[in-house]
């Protein structure tokens, strides 16, 4: 019998984000400090067995969804084994990955799907090679690899949906896709449980104004969703554009965030048929036709129309990116755009998330500084169990002791969870707290995306 993981506001936590590594193959300005980060010594990082102990414990507490993050999660040497074990854990229904896709060649895509991953979010902030290099501080080959991975994963998701529909309705199976690439997609669609790919783009003032329409057009091309995420204040990104002079006072701080209202105004001009998508609308009990106030993203369908001005920008970006044609029709005709407005329209009232850092600390809120050391709880439980020398000193009994320790620590973290934004008022107060904490404040890459 599961015992729900609830905080003092009654929010049930069903979603665990696990950072597999602090390392990353990119150096994105909004995530990685210019001088890099001090990585934790290996003995301080969670082992694969310890990660699985946490997942098994929280699954007993009602967690049904796990997302692997980082750093770049696919840099961890044993990521495939960890993913496969998590996907097989009783109670876990969905396993997602957030990745920059540099490791997702065709072989990497196959490994991802066969490990039991059900969805992926691919980080991509631009379709222009020079802008990618300025933002990621790495060669533009990474941008092309990401676009190729999105194309392949979109086809696998679409093909899998078509196969499941035929099987559930008794309809004839779709004809095989042509060519070697088509055979590859068909094979993975049958072998795995992969269902969706989304594009993640951070909404940055002075940058996203040029990128929003082309990225939305790429989503429409492949029949997927692009999610624009409002930039957030973390240690090392200074909550100001790179190279800007330090503010004389907090009131003069330059926020790099492009807020949802500005982004939507621009997108609605570019795509005049844009309208709210059913996936983001409010459930019964909330005002009819409004967006779900508890949903992570507010989602719109793009439609087929494009303004003349946007069409020119899209044409230029596509010429630079050179995306290949879709392998098959996308699962969502026309594509979608979502906005995660963590700063201007936070969805804290329905938060169901827990975050596990690579060094084994649990955060109940992305914006709070409070952490509970799950790594220490697991290791202390293991030592205590061994020292007790019980007659039933078995691996199963040791695992049970670890799960109890994890659940106690998780409930401790939830007992201190704030109602919203880690107890802060807004993005500015989060930035000020991060600055005041100095070296004790984690940059985004050390929390886990």
């Amino acid at each position: 019998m599961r015992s729900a993981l609830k905080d003092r506001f009654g929010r049930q936590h069903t979603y665990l984000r696990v950072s597999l590594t602090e390392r990353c193959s990119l150096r994105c300005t909004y995530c990685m400090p210019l001088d890099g980060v001090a990585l934790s010594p290996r003995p301080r990082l969670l082992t694969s067995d310890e990660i699985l102990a946490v997942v098994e414990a929280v699954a007993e507490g009602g967690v049904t969804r796990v997302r692997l993050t980082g750093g770049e999660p696919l840099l961890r040497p044993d990521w495939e084994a960890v993913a496969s074990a998590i996907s097989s854990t009783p109670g876990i229904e969905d396993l997602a990955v957030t990745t920059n896709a540099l490791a997702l060649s065709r072989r990497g895509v196959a490994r991802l799907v066969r490990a039991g991953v059900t969805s992926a979010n691919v980080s991509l902030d631009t379709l222009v090679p020079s802008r990618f290099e300025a933002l990621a501080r790495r060669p533009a080959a990474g941008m092309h690899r990401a676009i190729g991975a999105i194309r392949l994963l979109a086809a696998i998701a679409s093909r899998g949906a078509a196969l499941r529909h035929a099987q559930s309705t008794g309809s004839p199976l779709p004809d095989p896709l042509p060519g070697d690439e088509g055979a590859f997609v068909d094979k993975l669609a049958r072998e795995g449980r992969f269902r969706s790919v989304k594009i993640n783009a951070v909404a940055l003032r002075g940058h996203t104004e040029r990128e929003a329409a082309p990225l939305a057009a790429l989503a429409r091309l492949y029949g997927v969703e692009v999610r624009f995420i409002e930039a957030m204040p973390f240690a090392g990104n200074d909550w100001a554009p790179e190279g800007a002079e330090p503010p004389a006072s907090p009131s003069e701080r330059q926020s790099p965030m492009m807020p949802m209202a500005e982004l939507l105004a621009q997108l609605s001009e570019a795509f005049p048929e844009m309208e709210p998508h059913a996936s983001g609308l409010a459930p019964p009990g909330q005002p009819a036709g409004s967006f779900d106030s508890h949903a992570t993203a507010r989602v719109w369908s793009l439609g087929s129309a494009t303004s003349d001005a946007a069409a020119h920008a899209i044409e230029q970006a596509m010429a630079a990116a050179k995306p290949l044609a879709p392998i098959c029709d996308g699962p969502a005709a026309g594509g979608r755009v979502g906005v995660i407005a963590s700063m201007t329209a936070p969805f804290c009232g329905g938060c169901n998330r827990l975050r596990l850092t690579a060094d084994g600390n649990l955060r109940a809120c992305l914006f709070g500084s409070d952490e509970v050391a799950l790594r220490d709880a697991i290791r202390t439980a293991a030592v205590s169990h061994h020292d007790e020398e019980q007659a039933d000193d078995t691996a199963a009994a040791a695992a049970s002791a670890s799960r109890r320790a994890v659940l106690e620590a998780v409930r401790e973290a939830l007992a201190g969870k704030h109602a919203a934004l880690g107890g802060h008022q807004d993005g500015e107060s989060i930035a000020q707290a991060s600055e005041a904490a100095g070296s004790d404040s984690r940059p985004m890459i050390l929390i886990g995306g």
Side-chain angles (χ1 to χ4, degrees), residues 117 207 210 230 428 432:
V117 172
H207 171 83
R210 297 170 297 182
E230 288 182 342
E428 178 58 35
Q432 291 180 22

Side-chain angles (χ1 to χ4, degrees), residues 12-382:
Q12 184 168 341
H13 292 70
T14 58
Y15 182 11
L16 176 68
R17 300 174 71 99
V18 179
S19 177
L20 290 186
T21 179
E22 298 171 345
R23 298 179 181 276
C24 190
S25 41
L26 300 181
R27 294 293 182 271
C28 299
T29 59
Y30 52 79
C31 182
M32 175 80 79
L34 182 60
D35 297 329
V37 295
L39 301 175
S40 300
R42 179 170 292 185
R44 294 186 59 81
L45 299 175
L46 288 176
T47 67
S48 58
D49 286 343
E50 288 168 343
I51 291 172
L52 294 176
V54 173
V55 171
E56 290 169 356
V58 297
E60 287 187 3
V63 166
T64 60
R65 188 180 189 204
V66 174
R67 177 175 293 276
L68 304 180
T69 69
E72 169 49 46
L74 305 188
L75 286 180
R76 182 174 173 126
D78 62 350
W79 72 263
E80 196 171 359
V82 172
S84 182
I86 292 175
S87 70
S88 302
T89 300
I92 300 302
E93 300 169 2
D94 295 295
L95 175 62
V97 170
T98 296
T99 174
N100 61 32
L102 266 65
L104 290 183
S105 60
R106 183 187 288 198
R107 180 172 179 269
V109 167
R111 293 172 64 195
L112 190 83
V113 173
R114 288 169 178 154
V117 172
T118 55
S119 65
N121 288 41
V122 176
S123 299
L124 182 64
D125 300 298
T126 180
L127 299 184
V128 178
S130 61
R131 295 177 196 158
F132 179 91
E133 292 179 346
L135 196 64
R137 306 185 187 120
R138 288 296 183 269
M143 182 194 79
H144 296 292
R145 174 60 61 84
I147 294 171
I150 291 164
R151 175 176 174 266
L152 271 178
L153 290 169
I156 293 166
S158 176
R159 197 62 172 172
L163 291 170
R164 289 190 298 274
H165 175 74
Q167 292 165 351
S168 65
T169 61
S171 307
L173 292 173
D175 292 333
L177 292 171
D180 174 66
E181 194 171 49
F184 173 81
V185 167
D186 272 338
K187 182 176 176 62
L188 287 178
R190 286 181 167 86
E191 288 181 3
R193 301 188 299 145
F194 192 81
R195 283 172 166 73
S196 75
V197 58
K198 295 182 178 72
I199 302 168
N200 279 1
V202 176
L204 299 164
R205 191 185 298 281
H207 171 83
T208 306
E209 293 90 341
R210 297 170 297 182
E211 313 297 341
L215 286 169
L218 184 73
R220 186 164 63 182
L221 174 66
Y222 292 140
V224 301
E225 181 179 318
V226 56
R227 288 191 163 187
F228 293 97
I229 305 165
E230 288 182 342
M232 294 173 278
F234 289 101
N237 68 7
D238 296 325
W239 197 228
E242 187 170 303
E245 290 296 323
S249 67
S251 62
E252 297 179 13
R253 187 189 305 274
Q254 294 177 283
S255 165
M257 177 187 71
M258 184 178 185
M260 176 173 65
E262 291 183 20
L263 179 63
L264 290 177
Q266 181 177 324
L267 285 170
S268 61
E269 286 186 11
F271 303 99
E273 295 178 359
M274 213 173 89
E275 60 181 8
H277 189 268
S279 66
L281 293 179
Q286 295 185 31
S290 65
F291 283 103
D292 183 356
S293 61
H294 293 167
T296 303
R298 300 182 181 194
V299 185
W300 288 261
S301 297
L302 286 168
S304 58
T306 306
S307 72
D308 291 342
H312 178 66
I314 291 168
E315 182 180 0
Q316 288 185 315
M318 291 295 187
K322 299 180 176 63
L324 296 177
I327 299 169
C328 58
D329 293 335
R336 298 187 300 273
V337 59
V339 181
I340 300 178
S342 302
M343 296 290 94
T344 62
F347 39 88
C348 302
C351 182
N352 65 345
R353 298 159 192 79
L354 297 165
R355 277 182 162 79
L356 181 65
T357 65
D359 61 351
N361 289 297
L362 184 80
R363 281 195 171 209
C365 177
L366 176 61
F367 301 114
S369 58
D370 296 334
E371 297 181 348
V372 173
L374 290 192
R375 178 200 63 219
D376 296 346
I378 293 171
R379 293 178 183 179
T380 299

